Amino acid sequence: MIYTIGETVYDIIFKNNIPIDAKAGGAMLNTSVSLGRLNIPVALIGDYANDKVGEIIESFLIENGVNTQYITKYPVGKTRLALAFLDDENNAEYSFYKLAINDNCKLSFPKVTKNDYILFGSFYAIKKEIRNELFEFLSHAKNNGAIIIYDPNFRTSHLDILEEVIPMIQENIAISNIVKGSDEDFLNIFQLTNENEIYNKIKDFGCENLILTKNKLGVSLFTPALQKNFKTPAIIPISTIGA
């Protein structure tokens, strides 16, 4: 089984400052949907409100083969929104509106067994309100033989909290079997652009496997036994927002 852990949002997409579309979103949600479309058993761990937007997101997940039994639905409040402003190359700049609830969020975690996969990241991975229970779950999962994958997905909009959350990012790297991130992530987090320096930094924190994505420049794989670069085909992007 594959479990993805992350926030769900509803993306409202703008082009030339005009709203043109709206979709369920969130980094881990996008991954779970891609896996569901491949008929791979996947469940999303997260939360949203029991409102109209939450209903739209849940329907989208179910339609795409994602197990939603570990989603927490709050009886009051409003589901998160993300405004995505596309530039001329259809890259998105985001403005986020948080889930509005009166109480702290509460996640529901499954029992994990050997060779299950746990993919976590983005803002959920550095969120103080869920930190203790999330890290306890990750530790238990790793002890049970699950494979932990961390995707920091750290955007420029989060730079103002970097100093506060860097210890959590380091812990996330240390507990993971694989770190998968973009060149933009590591520029934002470590102010590094050199691939070998990025890999050495990841190793310093305790993880020996790195997948580094570089948009149209390709993907680099680093392990103790192998370093390899993979080209990506040239495309005209419809959107960079995800699922």
Side-chain angles (χ1 to χ4, degrees), residues 6-93:
E7 65 273 11
T8 60
V9 298
Y10 195 61
D11 289 322
I12 302 174
I13 304 162
F14 289 77
K15 185 77 170 181
N16 298 321
N17 292 325
I18 298 173
I20 59 171
D21 207 349
K23 302 286 185 182
M28 301 303 118
L29 178 144
N30 289 336
T31 299
S32 67
V33 167
S34 295
L35 293 168
R37 289 172 176 170
L38 294 169
N39 296 317
I40 295 172
V42 59
L44 176 64
I45 301 168
D47 59 356
Y48 39 75
N50 191 21
D51 59 0
K52 186 62 179 178
V53 174
E55 291 176 6
I56 294 172
I57 293 173
E58 181 154 303
S59 295
F60 178 69
L61 290 169
I62 293 171
E63 288 167 6
N64 284 283
V66 179
N67 185 323
T68 62
Q69 73 178 99
Y70 302 106
I71 295 288
T72 299
K73 292 189 286 186
Y74 302 107
V76 296
K78 301 295 182 184
T79 298
R80 299 176 192 87
L81 298 178
L83 307 189
F85 298 91
L86 302 181
D87 63 17
D88 292 339
E89 295 182 348
N90 286 332
N91 295 308
E93 179 182 345

Side-chain angles (χ1 to χ4, degrees), residues 182-183 186 190 192-203 210-215 217-222 227-230:
S182 69
D183 51 358
F186 299 117
F190 301 128
L192 294 177
T193 57
N194 180 275
E195 293 187 8
N196 289 306
E197 291 180 358
I198 292 169
Y199 180 49
N200 287 334
K201 179 70 75 170
I202 297 299
K203 286 197 297 182
L210 170 66
I211 299 169
L212 177 64
T213 64
K214 302 170 292 184
N215 204 317
L217 299 179
V219 178
S220 294
L221 170 68
F222 294 85
Q227 178 178 340
K228 189 166 183 176
N229 297 306
F230 300 87

